[in-house]
């Protein structure tokens, strides 16, 4: 029996794994850990069934190499596979330079993997071309947090603080389905008499708990925030002492919202002016207001500006740094937080240091034993990197660890074309994902229960996933792959195979950085139910709550920054008259590479959610086949007719191939986040349910 954590989302629920023998092979039984504060004995369906990939017939257990003439993948030994990859990489670097080889990582990788992948790119490959799927997840909130507070940590307080607030405003989060055990905090909040405001174009199971539900047109959360601030200022409800002492720039912000009266917000967002007034009155009369954003607000071409607008609201009310109040972002992937702190991001080095900062380069180069001038500069962001693959001046080889790009990238047809244009695609994965299926070399890696490593959850709590079982024969860890390639490329820097050793090096590299892990060890994590960063030395208790006395800016004050509404990059028109938004369902995780293969999770398949009025207009009933098209692609899927969505909006989950053939690759100028959450679409009826069933 081993105490560890879930393989999936950013809650990183505590679980105990009990391996046992059963008919048909080894089984990994999951039990919830009542002692772990984040989940207190609860798990969601995905957590309970997480053992399902253990011994699965679709587990990859041998490296595969594609035959250049037949195009078929066939099994080879590890040495042959790694020799081949190293040889081709060397050829490409000689012919086209170091930036001809690129790396794509994932926010599901442990801190140790993320750290060593970044080091591998910069030191063994000498490439600037590394980024990761977290760019599609957290980057807008990260950019806003850095600008406003001087630091980016998802929640600057423990998750359980939520229940002690007076009002919680959830902007674009469906946490009852995306992190179900966290919903208990909303329930307890309401039992205490606290109020919940949910902002989402759909009424979700999260929205069902709300005292106030605002259903805006997708992509209009920014004017909603501006309108609320306008009303609060007009009512004299802002905390002037706090603003004077703890912020800079607020006067400009105040002037900038003067024109956002409620009727104007109503015209843009579809939210009734009176509903906005009611919410403003609730906020004005509350001591402790907490604003939490998630992907619904952030995955937009104005995602960063939107988060900044909501931060301005929280600052205006004097909430940031106050107990049980403030602003936070609900991060997403298991290591969504740590994954971006240790060097997978194209512009960052470990410890959340910026790669173009000479002092940061000198520190990290010192730990790595290399010349600071040998470290490359910033590279391309995730989508820009993928879009440049195989193009003139773009990378010719890509190594993928921990992302199923073909399903999850925006404008996925274009991205798939780019992957196909590469000279070399190497994918390390557990299963034959849609991206691995395109690879020239597939490397079978261990999954969570088969290796140890740390993750940083949505609260900034560094936790330890302990190995519970031996990996299947033939499978190696990402750490082995990285070290095996580094040595074949003649790199002399250290690439530890032991995660604890890798963590100790990471801690050194992060020392003095914004995300300082220097005082964290595996033993401390075990003894303390995780340790919150920053934790600069062994005697430091860790930092569950940030900003009590000062923000992480040079002068200790938060920056209130003026932002204005420009609207989604693509607006509906006569050809594409509805808004398309995308997101998640409870039983599937991300690209579905893992969860679609778990038999205990029902794979309901892709669907299109639409309002009865829209369904009536196109002549479709529940279950009928409909076609959704955008300027980038089309998708046929069954209609799910629900009165819980705005009549001008349709929703498609992205866990199956298809949704991202439709989505827009417009990027946020600050975070480079793609606009997953809104584009213009057309929808038409294709066939009735009976005919679909019969065919
Ligand atoms: N079951 C499940 N849980 C997961 C994951 C998963 O794949 N499956 N993934 C994990 C990861 S990586 C992440 S990032 C998190 C994401 O967690 P969430 O952000 O909660 O998930 P989403 O479903 O992407 O989006 C949330 C809501 O945003 C709404 N929305 C769409 N457009 C807009 C808009 O313009 N404005 C507003 N206000 N709302 C809008 C959608 O209707 C949706 O209900 O979940 C994590 N947990
Ligand atoms: N339309 C639309 N698209 C979206 C979103 C949306 O809301 N709408 N959300 C975006 C967001 S927030 C995210 S986070 C992304 C996520 O999308 P992806 O980046 O595709 O994430 P996963 O499906 O988790 O992919 C992880 C892959 O790595 C494998 N894997 C798991 N663990 C390991 C490991 O330790 N090592 C290695 N080498 N492989 C491993 C899994 O089997 C899987 O194939 O999708 C984005 N795409
Ligand atoms: S909520 Fe997240 S961490 Fe918890 S069991 Fe579900 S998927 Fe795992
Ligand atoms: Mo995410």
């Amino acid at each position: 029996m081993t105490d560890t954590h879930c393989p999936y989302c950013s809650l990183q629920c505590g679980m105990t794994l009990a391996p046992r023998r059963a008919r048909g092979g080894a089984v990994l039984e999951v039990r919830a850990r009542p002692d772990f504060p984040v989940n207190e004995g609860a798990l969601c369906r995905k957590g309970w069934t997480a053992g399902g990939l253990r011994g699965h017939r679709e587990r990859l257990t041998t490296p595969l190499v594609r035959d250049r003439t037949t195009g078929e993948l066939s099994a080879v030994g590890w040495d042959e596979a790694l020799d081949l990859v190293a040889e081709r990489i060397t050829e490409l670097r000689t012919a086209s330079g170091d930036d001809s080889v690129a790396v794509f990582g994932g926010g599901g990788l442990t801190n140790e993997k993320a750290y060593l992948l970044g080091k591998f790119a910069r030191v063994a490959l000498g490439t600037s071309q590394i980024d990761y799927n977290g760019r599609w997840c957290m980057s807008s909130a990260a950019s806003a947090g850095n600008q406003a507070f001087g630091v980016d940590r998802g929640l600057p307080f423990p998750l359980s603080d939520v229940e002690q607030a007076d009002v919680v405003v959830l902007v674009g989060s469906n946490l009852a389905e995306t992190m179900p055990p966290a919903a208990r905090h909303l329930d307890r909040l309401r039992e205490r008499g606290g109020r919940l405001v949910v902002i989402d174009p759909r009424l979700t199971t999260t929205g069902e708990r709300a005292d106030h539900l605002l259903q805006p047109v997708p992509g209009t959360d920014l004017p909603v925030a501006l309108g609320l601030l306008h009303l609060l200022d007009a009512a004299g409800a802002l905390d002037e002492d706090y603003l004077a002492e703890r912020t800079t720039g607020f006067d400009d912000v105040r002037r900038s919202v003067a024109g956002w009266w409620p009727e104007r917000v109503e015209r843009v967002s579809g939210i009734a002016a009176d509903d906005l007034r009611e919410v403003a009155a609730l906020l004005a009369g509350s001591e402790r207001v907490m604003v939490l954003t998630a992907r619904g607000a952030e995955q937009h071409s104005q995602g960063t500006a939107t988060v900044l607008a909501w931060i301005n609201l929280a600052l205006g009310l004097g909430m940031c740094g106050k107990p049980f109040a403030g602003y936070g972002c609900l991060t997403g992937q298991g290591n969504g937080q740590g994954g971006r702190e240790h060097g997978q991001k194209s512009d960052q080095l470990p410890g959340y240091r910026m790669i173009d900062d000479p002092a940061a380069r000198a520190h990290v180069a010192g730990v790595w034993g290399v010349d600071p001038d040998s470290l490359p500069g910033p590279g391309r962001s995730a989508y820009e990197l993928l879009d440049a693959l195989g193009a003139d001046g773009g990378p010719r080889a890509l190594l993928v660890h921990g992302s199923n790009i073909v399903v999850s990238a925006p404008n996925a047809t274009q991205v798939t074309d780019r992957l196909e244009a590469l000279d070399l695609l190497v994918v390390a994965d557990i299963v034959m994902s849609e991206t691995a299926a395109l690879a020239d070399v597939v490397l079978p890696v261990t999954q969570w229960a088969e290796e140890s490593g740390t993750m940083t959850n949505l609260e900034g709590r560094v936790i330890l996933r302990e190995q519970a079982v031996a990996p299947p024969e033939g499978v190696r860890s990402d750490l082995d792959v990285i070290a095996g390639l580094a040595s074949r490329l003649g790199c002399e820097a250290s690439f530890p195979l032991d995660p604890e050793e890798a963590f100790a090096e990471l801690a050194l590299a992060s020392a003095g950085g914004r995300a300082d892990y220097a005082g964290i060890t595996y033993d401390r994590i075990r003894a303390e139910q995780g340790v919150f960063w920053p934790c600069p030395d062994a005697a430091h208790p860790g930092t569950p709550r940030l900003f009590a006395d000062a923000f992480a800016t040079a002068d200790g004050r938060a920056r209130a920054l003026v932002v204005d509404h420009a609207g989604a990059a693509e607006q509906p028109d006569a050809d594409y008259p509805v808004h398309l938004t995308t997101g998640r369902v409870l039983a599937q995780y991300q690209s579905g590479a893992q969860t679609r293969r778990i038999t205990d999770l029902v794979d309901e398949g892709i669907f299109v959610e639409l309002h009865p009025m829209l369904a009536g207009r196109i002549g479709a009933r529940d279950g009928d086949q409909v076609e959704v098209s955008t300027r980038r692609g089309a998708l046929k899927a069954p209609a799910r007719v629900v009165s819980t969505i705005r009549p001008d909006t349709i929703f498609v989950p992205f866990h199956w191939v298809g949704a991202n053939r439709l989505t827009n690759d417009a990027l946020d100028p600050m975070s480079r986040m793609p606009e997953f959450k809104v584009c213009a679409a057309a929808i038409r009826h294709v066939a009735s349910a009976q005919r679909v069933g019969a065919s």
Side-chain angles (χ1 to χ4, degrees), residues 9 46 137 171-175 177-179 199-202 204 216-221 294-297 299-300 331-333 581-590 651 654-655 677:
C9 88
K46 299 183 298 302
C137 183
V171 197
S173 160
N174 182 13
L175 68 72
E177 290 191 77
T178 53
M179 32 197 78
I199 306 184
D200 192 314
R202 302 184 305 140
T204 61
V217 171
T220 63
D221 298 285
R295 301 313 81 72
Q299 289 174 324
H300 292 279
T331 69
Q333 298 183 84
T581 191
T582 60
R584 294 160 165 82
V585 298
L586 202 169
Q588 296 297 328
Y589 190 68
Q590 314 278 61
F651 169 85
F654 84 101
H655 310 292
K677 285 290 191 273

Side-chain angles (χ1 to χ4, degrees), residues 85 589 606:
V85 173
Y589 190 68
I606 197 163

Side-chain angles (χ1 to χ4, degrees), residues 371-439:
D371 177 356
D373 292 336
S374 71
L375 297 178
R380 295 178 172 94
S381 76
Y383 185 78
E384 290 160 301
L385 174 61
L386 297 178
D387 196 35
L389 296 176
D392 246 5
R396 315 241 24 120
L398 180 71
L399 313 183
V400 181
H401 289 259
S403 181
N404 187 6
I405 298 163
V406 168
V407 179
S408 55
N411 196 5
T413 310
Q414 158 72 2
V415 168
T416 307
D417 286 349
R418 299 324 315 154
L419 292 173
E420 283 171 342
L422 285 167
D423 293 337
L424 175 67
L425 174 63
V426 181
V427 177
D429 209 308
I430 301 161
V431 291
M432 187 61 87
S433 71
E434 286 77 0
T435 308
L438 295 182

Side-chain angles (χ1 to χ4, degrees), residues 89 97 121 160 192 224 226 233 301 337 369 471 487 507 536 629 656 680 690:
I89 285 177
S160 56
R192 277 189 47 256
V224 173
L226 300 179
D233 192 23
S301 58
Q337 183 67 45
S487 70
S629 51
W656 297 267
Q690 287 85 338

